[in-house]
Amino acid sequence: MKRTQILGVNIDCIRLGEAINILSRPRIKIFTPNPEILLESLNNRNYRDILNAGDLMLADGHGLLLLSSLLKLKSKLLRLIFLFPALILFLFTKRPYKTVIPEIIHGSDFMLVLISWAELTGKSVFFLGSYGDVAKNTAVYFKKIHPNLKLAGYSNSDPDDDAFAAVQHSGADILLAAYGAPKQEEFISKYFEQLPHLSVAMGVGGSFDFFSGHVKRAPALFHYLGLEWLWRLIIQPKKRGKRIFKALVVFPLKAIFFSK
Ligand code: UDP
């Protein structure tokens, strides 16, 4: 499998079909690098190492597709010069001028695939993280649409030893950790070796919020246009405003200057 790097973090150059095949490998950690995660890793060396120990690294965002192609230019000045034209071209054609990462795989979309795969293969799933009833409601939602899904359990415990104990006790095959970045990857990294029953552990960010109905998902048109960020800004302006500025402005500039 081909890999590239943005800001020193591995990203798999992979399509959804190939990513699904990797699920049958023994014991994999799945992370979904997005601009926010990559920026965090720039200031946090330990976090970068945690990410780079991931087995499946899904590119979660159009910015990664665009930047991976721009980073083929070794000159930082040329990268900067071509950033704007590349962005315009990308907006019209929906693909960069040279393909490095063949497609975006959103974490929440891959979580859907993973759950269908779990139902098919008889693997049990543990829903961990978020607040209140979000993890429970996510489990209920998936049980409804996948009646044969084996539910190992759910917990809204903080990412600590209690959460670890709950997952350990459940004997789950698949762990979905929804603590956002960097907590979910740190949790998976810290406890994965002590959970030998896990065949897959994945950090799923805010996905539970969508599936539980806690937060409304972007309509299909926003998805198609690559404007999920705009949708999030509309529904959560306070929470998202600063993050979106970082993803759209700070991330491309840092990626251009600080990536090899
Ligand atoms: N979250 C949590 N504990 C924390 C921080 C976040 O359970 O200490 C949950 C939060 O409720 C949300 C999820 O982590 O369901 C992801 O949060 P965020 O919105 O930051 O992630 P994104 O959607 O950007 O991936």
Side-chain angles (χ1 to χ4, degrees):
M1 175 171 56
K2 208 177 146 234
R3 283 198 150 164
T4 187
Q5 279 204 335
I6 300 179
L7 288 172
V9 175
N10 297 332
I11 320 272
D12 289 328
C13 304
I14 197 171
R15 290 187 184 278
L16 183 62
E18 301 164 71
I20 294 169
N21 284 338
I22 288 175
L23 291 176
S24 44
R25 288 190 189 167
R27 288 186 51 74
I28 58 169
K29 289 183 286 215
I30 306 176
F31 300 138
T32 60
N34 60 21
E36 191 188 354
I37 288 179
L38 295 177
L39 285 178
E40 172 70 27
S41 76
L42 196 57
N43 304 318
N44 183 340
R45 175 96 212 221
N46 182 46
Y47 183 48
R48 196 194 321 162
D49 292 343
I50 288 174
L51 289 171
N52 282 338
D55 303 286
L56 184 54
M57 302 293 283
L58 304 175
D60 189 350
H62 287 84
L64 275 69
L65 223 74
L66 178 68
L67 260 302
S68 66
S69 133
L70 208 57
L71 295 180
K72 287 187 84 150
L73 297 168
K74 288 301 154 212
S75 155
K76 291 172 184 175
L77 180 64
L78 283 181
R79 288 175 185 173
L80 188 63
I81 290 170
F82 280 107
L83 175 62
F84 192 64
L87 180 65
I88 299 295
L89 186 73
F90 187 79
L91 284 176
F92 281 103
T93 61
K94 306 296 292 162
R95 62 175 60 159
Y97 68 97
K98 267 201 172 113
T99 304
V100 177
I101 300 171
E103 69 187 29
I104 293 159
I105 305 177
H106 291 296
S108 50
D109 292 337
F110 199 71
M111 179 177 149
L112 286 173
V113 170
L114 181 54
I115 288 188
S116 301
W117 180 80
E119 187 187 37
L120 266 174
T121 54
K123 302 229 183 247
S124 63
V125 181
F126 195 100
F127 296 82
L128 179 67
S130 300
Y131 300 107
D133 281 338
V134 171
K136 177 183 168 190
N137 292 340
T138 307
V140 168
Y141 167 78
F142 280 109
K143 248 330 247 183
K144 207 189 272 173
I145 58 170
H146 292 288
N148 296 323
L149 179 70
K150 285 191 189 157
L151 183 60
Y154 53 81
S155 167
N156 65 2
S157 181
D158 283 340
D160 56 18
D161 288 349
D162 287 345
F164 161 67
V167 179
Q168 189 183 41
H169 186 248
S170 75
D173 298 306
I174 297 173
L175 170 65
L176 302 175
Y179 292 120
K183 287 185 186 173
Q184 59 196 20
E185 292 84 9
E186 286 169 352
F187 179 86
I188 290 172
S189 167
K190 182 170 176 192
Y191 294 108
F192 193 66
E193 289 309 316
Q194 299 171 65
L195 296 166
H197 45 83
L198 285 182
S199 50
V200 180
M202 177 176 175
V204 297
S207 304
F208 289 5
D209 293 330
F210 295 122
F211 296 125
S212 64
H214 187 68
V215 172
K216 215 167 151 8
R217 261 201 118 177
L221 183 65
F222 282 74
H223 246 286
Y224 174 73
L225 295 173
L227 296 175
E228 295 90 347
W229 59 270
L230 181 61
W231 173 255
R232 289 179 168 202
L233 182 63
I234 293 167
I235 57 170
Q236 297 175 303
K238 263 195 194 151
K239 182 175 172 188
R240 296 288 164 185
K242 198 170 152 208
R243 285 190 184 185
I244 287 169
F245 173 76
K246 283 174 108 180
L248 294 180
V249 180
V250 181
F251 168 67
L253 293 176
K254 291 218 169 174
I256 281 176
F257 287 105
F258 296 110
S259 297
K260 276 195 193 140

